[in-house]
Amino acid sequence: MEGRRMEKKDLDWGSLGFSYMPTSYSYVCNWRDGAWEEGGLTADHSVTISECAGILHYCQECFEGLKAYTTESGDIVCFRPDLNADRMYETAERLCMPPFPKDKFVEAVKEVVKANLEWVPPFGSGATLYIRPVMFATGVVIGVKPATEYQFRILVTPVGPYYKGGAVPISICVSPFDRAAPRGTGNIKAGLNYAMSLQANVEAHANGFAENLYLDSQSRTYVEEAGGANIIFVNKEGTLVVPQSHTDSILPSITRRSLVVVARDILGMNVEERPVKFAEVEAGDFVEAGLCGTAAVISPVGKITNGDEVIEISGMEAAGPVMTKLRNTLTGIQSGEIEGPEGWVVKIA
């Protein structure tokens, strides 16, 4: 690995933002004539499609997000890529797209990361290599129906923290908009869900908030998730409380599911996975909260604003002890400093 360390790109790794930077190779594979082709690496980061491609008209598109890390020992690893493969497979089925084979997905991730080792940030830099698999309809379609051709790609790019300032508390607001319809597509990782959240996101940022918190669209009484992350809470007894959706509208975050295992099996915490009423938040039942996802891992929530109501959670000074412990444990597993459950960390190089 010493040789690979010397070959790293000459970047200011510690100052990277969360933005796109073209790297050496992407991965591309096409689905034509009812089957996926061989697929492989490409140095071409552009996509050429017909003006009548299905993605442009009926939004047949889905994506994933995961990261490659440099461990303390110098290995390049990925965190639970099999779960990303599972989620993308299920999302594709829901959107009438041909699912990309799960084993081929994991192998493609390994292949594209190996081809871009010089772009994987060094251990201790706080940066990672973000991996973005994406699938979209390339086939021509004018009537409302699934396309007949698709493209699967994986791009990689080195990134810094998703939220500026790292693991310092953020302020979020309850959105007046709805994120997803009951029994709709809120539980899959489709681009159309994120398009729905853009206006709410822009307005939240303009008003000084880092993110939105969405309530269930059926009754607007239950906590669901943020625009780009799930939310978790800690109550006064120290129990980790994880919101569930009674209308199946919450994305099954891999980070959230991993944190539940970390809390219950490694840290010995009590964990409740249940519907959470926003009234519980208003009543001050929770002493800590955090947004969790691949990009941010955990971003502690200091306060939540709902119209004229400001609800202090843990305050804006520093992350609470439980969120800090959860974040440090999970990132420690990802970086190889802490031993995690078998199969979580997949060595690539």
Side-chain angles (χ1 to χ4, degrees), residues 103-323:
D103 55 346
K104 192 176 178 73
F105 178 103
V106 175
E107 289 307 310
V109 167
K110 292 179 179 178
E111 185 176 356
V112 74
V113 172
K114 284 181 181 178
N116 290 283
L117 289 180
E118 68 270 28
W119 295 96
V120 182
F123 175 79
S125 64
T128 55
L129 186 74
Y130 191 76
I131 305 165
R132 169 55 60 85
V134 59
M135 189 198 307
F136 50 92
T138 55
V140 170
V141 58
I142 197 70
V144 182
K145 60 183 179 181
T148 57
E149 295 185 359
Y150 297 85
Q151 185 169 112
F152 171 85
R153 296 181 73 92
I154 304 178
L155 67 88
V156 299
T157 188
V159 297
Y162 187 72
Y163 294 111
K164 294 178 181 178
V168 299
I170 59 174
S171 174
I172 66 175
C173 63
V174 174
S175 176
F177 297 94
D178 292 329
R179 174 184 165 270
R183 292 164 291 278
T185 58
N187 63 346
I188 62 171
K189 200 168 179 66
L192 57 91
N193 293 336
Y194 294 80
M196 298 288 284
S197 72
L198 291 178
Q199 183 179 353
N201 196 42
V202 168
E203 291 184 9
H205 288 173
N207 290 318
F209 300 104
E211 251 288 13
N212 287 287
L213 177 64
Y214 290 94
L215 305 181
D216 76 286
S217 60
Q218 189 170 58
S219 68
R220 291 194 62 81
T221 58
Y222 290 93
V223 173
E224 292 235 309
E225 63 175 290
N230 284 180
I231 188 167
I232 54 178
F233 298 97
V234 178
N235 67 17
K236 294 174 181 177
E237 289 72 42
T239 297
L240 182 68
V241 180
V242 181
Q244 284 185 331
S245 172
H246 64 290
T247 58
D248 197 18
S249 302
I250 296 178
L251 184 74
S253 163
I254 293 165
T255 302
R256 185 204 75 211
R257 286 180 277 171
S258 301
L259 286 168
V260 166
V261 175
V262 166
R264 181 185 292 137
D265 299 343
I266 297 179
L267 300 179
M269 294 175 58
N270 291 324
V271 179
E272 293 180 2
E273 296 184 82
R274 60 173 177 82
V276 174
K277 289 188 174 182
F278 187 68
E280 297 177 64
V281 181
E282 294 177 301
D285 292 354
F286 303 117
V287 295
E288 292 187 49
L291 302 187
C292 59
T294 297
V297 185
I298 295 181
S299 287
V301 175
K303 62 182 180 181
I304 301 174
T305 297
N306 182 26
D308 295 330
E309 178 186 27
V310 179
I311 304 162
E312 292 284 340
I313 305 294
S314 59
M316 301 298 291
E317 295 301 315
V322 176
M323 291 299 156

